[in-house]
Amino acid sequence: MKAVMLIGGLLLAGGALAQADAPAPVQSVEQADTILAQVAKERAAAENAYAEREQVCYSKFFVNNCLDEAKEERRARLAELRTREIDANYFKRKNAVDLRDRELQDRNQRDAAEEVSRAANPPAPTVDPADKPRPQPTGKLPAQRQAEHAAREQQRAAQEAAEAGERARKVEEFQQKQTDAAERQKRVAEKQAERQAKRAKREADEAAKQAAEAERARQKAQGK
């Protein structure tokens, strides 16, 4: 009876110890990622520790016992890390499924709301393109283009005629100026010739007068 009670006490103590050593449940994806990173780091550390322990065991007398203990410690450590890894991966998979389910539910709700909105506000009836008034052509008709071309030609011809008339007027003015200048030069020459003729006549008259006076003086002198 005492043995049974002792065994029961040991089992209860072991269960309580196992519950105390159990890792805290994962609460978020960030925590799961942190746990996975720690597991990878601690697994590498466990492998390194086993390799170092293995080298130490080869230097001892009871090599096999030492190696068995090292392997058992390694197995227990890796099993613990594997449990934590499984829990973290399970939480991430479950979270992804829950997220996908929520997105699907939200999409279904949006689709249902859109269906209700379309039913409450039906689209306006479509209009047959054949019933629409034909738009007026934005380009110009050939007759309009020809008329505009003829108008431009007439305007250019009128401008050229005006320019030709202006050039003819300027030529006529220039010729008239030349004619006037020639007339002025002619009158100046005539006046100069007239003045020269008058001066020559005066000089001739003066010479004749002087000659007559000289002749009278000579005759008077001879009469004495």
Side-chain angles (χ1 to χ4, degrees), residues 12-223:
L12 291 174
L17 182 60
Q19 291 180 357
D21 293 339
V26 182
Q27 300 293 334
S28 65
V29 176
E30 291 78 8
Q31 183 182 1
D33 291 335
T34 301
I35 291 174
L36 292 175
Q38 291 177 350
V39 166
K41 184 177 180 180
E42 293 178 9
R43 180 180 287 115
E47 294 292 349
N48 292 332
Y50 172 74
E52 293 176 357
R53 180 74 179 277
E54 190 178 22
Q55 295 298 325
V56 173
C57 289
Y58 285 120
S59 64
K60 292 185 177 182
F61 182 77
F62 298 102
V63 177
N64 292 333
N65 291 337
C66 181
L67 290 176
D68 291 340
E69 292 177 359
K71 290 179 181 179
E72 180 60 24
E73 291 179 1
R74 173 177 173 272
R75 185 198 63 77
R77 182 58 177 162
L78 294 180
E80 177 188 355
L81 295 175
R82 179 57 180 165
T83 300
R84 294 169 58 189
E85 185 179 37
I86 291 173
D87 292 342
N89 286 327
Y90 172 77
F91 179 85
K92 292 185 67 175
R93 287 194 298 271
K94 184 176 182 301
N95 182 79
V97 172
D98 293 341
L99 181 61
R100 186 170 60 251
D101 291 342
R102 287 195 298 270
E103 291 178 351
L104 181 60
Q105 183 179 2
D106 293 340
R107 186 182 306 167
N108 292 334
Q109 290 178 354
R110 288 196 301 270
D111 293 342
E114 290 178 359
E115 288 293 337
V116 173
S117 177
R118 283 195 294 269
N121 301 297
T126 58
V127 179
D128 188 358
D131 297 336
K132 293 183 178 180
R134 182 174 298 177
Q136 296 295 328
T138 56
K140 296 180 180 179
L141 297 177
Q144 292 177 338
R145 290 195 294 269
Q146 291 178 357
E148 291 179 355
H149 178 71
R152 287 195 297 269
E153 290 296 329
Q154 291 178 357
Q155 183 178 3
R156 183 164 52 250
Q159 184 176 359
E160 291 178 355
E163 292 176 354
E166 182 67 18
R167 287 194 298 270
R169 185 183 64 80
K170 290 182 179 180
V171 170
E172 184 178 358
E173 289 180 354
F174 177 73
Q175 291 177 350
Q176 184 64 38
K177 288 180 180 179
Q178 287 184 336
T179 302
D180 294 342
E183 289 291 335
R184 285 194 299 272
Q185 291 178 357
K186 181 180 179 181
R187 287 194 296 271
V188 170
E190 290 177 351
K191 289 181 179 180
Q192 289 179 352
E194 184 179 356
R195 285 195 296 270
Q196 290 177 358
K198 289 180 178 180
R199 185 169 57 250
K201 185 177 182 300
R202 284 196 303 270
E203 291 177 354
D205 291 342
E206 185 67 25
K209 183 179 180 181
Q210 291 178 358
E213 290 179 354
E215 182 64 25
R216 283 195 299 272
R218 185 182 65 80
Q219 291 177 0
K220 185 178 180 181
Q222 288 179 356

